[in-house]
Amino acid sequence: MEHLEQVEKPREAPPRKVLVLFRKAPYGSLYNWEGLQTLLIMGAYQMQGTIQISVAFLDDGVFAIVSGQDPSGLEMKPLSKTYPALPDFDIERFYADKRSLDERNLSLDDLVIKPEVLDAEGIAGLLQEQDAILPF
């Protein structure tokens, strides 16, 4: 009888941490739209457990999640209506930069989602723990 070697199965790698970082205003460029499309596609991988997605809003990127947007004058649809649907794709980790919100006189009541608000140190820690950062 042949000797069969036991092959050890490779351990499952933990999910890679990916941060989608919104820094640009939602209209006037395609950055925000492309970031949203990326999130929707990545949501399928998140649901399979291969990646762990977080979303952060800094600088003018915080305007992306302001409620009541009406870009019809630009012949565009409001992107902010898409963000509340992201938890349906298992994307549930949202963060906003406190300074960015304060400088734009925004509060959580002004937003379509309720991100965790982080100070500069918190944002730095969030960036540090990621395996990849996708800026938009």
Side-chain angles (χ1 to χ4, degrees):
M1 185 179 257
E2 285 183 40
H3 180 273
L4 298 176
E5 279 187 49
Q6 255 190 297
V7 179
E8 199 174 309
K9 285 186 178 181
R11 292 184 192 173
E12 266 191 49
R16 294 185 51 87
K17 291 184 175 186
V18 178
L19 176 70
V20 177
L21 179 63
F22 289 92
R23 298 190 80 162
K24 308 272 186 200
Y27 306 104
S29 73
L30 290 176
Y31 285 109
N32 204 277
W33 183 82
E34 289 174 343
L36 266 174
Q37 296 305 307
T38 300
L39 279 171
L40 293 171
I41 292 166
M42 289 173 60
Y45 294 99
Q46 167 89 0
M47 290 162 63
Q48 295 172 7
T50 56
I51 59 175
Q52 183 182 83
I53 302 168
S54 297
V55 185
F57 301 90
L58 280 79
D59 304 325
D60 283 343
V62 296
F63 287 127
I65 53 175
V66 171
S67 61
Q69 296 179 25
D70 181 14
S72 59
L74 301 170
E75 298 183 13
M76 297 182 76
K77 294 181 180 179
L79 299 173
S80 62
K81 291 183 177 182
T82 308
Y83 290 100
L86 291 175
D88 293 340
F89 294 86
D90 285 346
I91 300 170
E92 299 172 338
R93 292 175 194 84
F94 300 100
Y95 304 93
D97 176 51
K98 180 175 179 7
R99 193 180 103 226
S100 299
L101 291 170
D102 290 346
E103 288 177 353
R104 289 153 184 85
N105 295 317
L106 296 171
S107 72
L108 287 177
D109 293 335
D110 298 314
L111 309 178
V112 296
I113 58 172
K114 304 302 180 221
E116 180 180 341
V117 178
L118 300 176
D119 60 13
E121 186 178 322
I123 292 290
L126 178 67
L127 295 173
Q128 184 79 30
E129 67 185 28
Q130 303 305 309
D131 294 310
I133 299 171
L134 305 177
F136 291 97

